[in-house]
Amino acid sequence: MPQRHTFTGRIAGLGTTSGVRLVIGMWETTPFGPFADVMLEEPGGHRILLAPTDQTADFIATTYTFDEVRVVPVTFRRTTAGVTLTAPRLSLTFGVGSISPLGRLLRIVPPSFATNTAWLRAIDPIARLLVPSVRTAGSANAGRREFYGVTRARTIMDAAATWQDRDLGSLAPLWPPVRFGFSSAPSTPQIVDVTTTITSVG
């Protein structure tokens, strides 16, 4: 029987002047309950997943590709200016600004369409042209299909982070694209409201 998993929450993607790029998932509704995870790619290409439980780590690592998986506590909190996230050997704070150009474009699409998998499959070629390195539909590992339905996007204004006792410097574009799956986050640092749908057969 086909299986369908839906994750609703926010994804933040940003780069740093150190070359470390981060994609943070802050999930409100999932098959595993609320949780946060971090996908991190180092300048040399080493890809690391930080996830809070064996169950979430296994699902994410089966869907995407990593060189290292760490099951560790990952917590975040919203502040008046943005978001603060912590995990063992990682600390990240970033500010959230106004609606981004992508966010203004998204206002054209009714929310019911924006998260519909048939719509996301149809607009994928257009999304690739409008936002390089970003896709709305594609193939994941383990025979899975994945769909990203973004309904809102805001600019990340600034960031401060340390990773493994090293200051990562200041905010930078998320470039080159991260290589966890078929799609990267936009190169311009931003946080998006998203519904991610993952389907599989079996």
Side-chain angles (χ1 to χ4, degrees), residues 84-110:
T84 294
L85 178 139
T86 58
R89 309 201 71 184
L90 173 67
S91 175
L92 170 66
T93 298
F94 60 86
V96 177
S98 60
I99 295 175
S100 68
L102 173 61
R104 289 192 288 272
L105 182 63
L106 291 169
R107 286 177 167 175
I108 301 170
V109 184

Side-chain angles (χ1 to χ4, degrees), residues 24 26 31 39 49 53 96 106 113 124-125 151 185 197-198:
I24 301 102
M26 294 161 282
M39 302 179 187
L49 169 66
T53 66
V96 177
L106 291 169
F113 272 88
D124 181 60
T151 56
T197 304
I198 299 172

Side-chain angles (χ1 to χ4, degrees), residues 153-182:
R154 289 166 291 168
T155 303
I156 292 177
M157 302 299 296
D158 54 70
T162 59
W163 166 240
Q164 303 193 135
D165 305 318
R166 180 164 60 106
D167 189 323
L168 298 186
S170 56
L171 184 67
L174 197 158
W175 193 264
V178 290
R179 301 172 301 113
F180 310 119
F182 68 88

Side-chain angles (χ1 to χ4, degrees), residues 5 33 80 94 126 142 147 190 198:
H5 303 279
T80 55
F94 60 86
I126 300 170
F147 305 86
Q190 52 197 293
I198 299 172

Side-chain angles (χ1 to χ4, degrees), residues 38-42 45-51 57-58 60-62 64-72 88-89 163-164 179-180:
V38 179
M39 302 179 187
L40 181 151
E41 185 166 351
E42 296 180 327
H46 191 69
R47 296 161 295 183
I48 302 171
L49 169 66
L50 308 179
D58 179 69
I60 297 168
T62 302
Y64 301 92
T65 301
F66 301 95
D67 303 296
E68 183 180 348
V69 177
R70 302 183 188 182
V71 179
V72 295
R89 309 201 71 184
W163 166 240
Q164 303 193 135
R179 301 172 301 113
F180 310 119

Side-chain angles (χ1 to χ4, degrees), residues 126-196:
I126 300 170
R128 288 190 240 180
L129 292 175
L130 293 175
V131 190
S133 78
V134 170
R135 297 186 59 186
T136 58
S139 298
N141 293 339
R144 294 170 177 168
R145 293 281 298 172
E146 188 170 18
F147 305 86
Y148 293 110
V150 176
T151 56
R152 187 182 185 194
R154 289 166 291 168
T155 303
I156 292 177
M157 302 299 296
D158 54 70
T162 59
W163 166 240
Q164 303 193 135
D165 305 318
R166 180 164 60 106
D167 189 323
L168 298 186
S170 56
L171 184 67
L174 197 158
W175 193 264
V178 290
R179 301 172 301 113
F180 310 119
F182 68 88
S183 177
S184 181
S187 60
T188 300
Q190 52 197 293
I191 182 170
V192 301
D193 292 14
V194 62
T195 294
T196 299

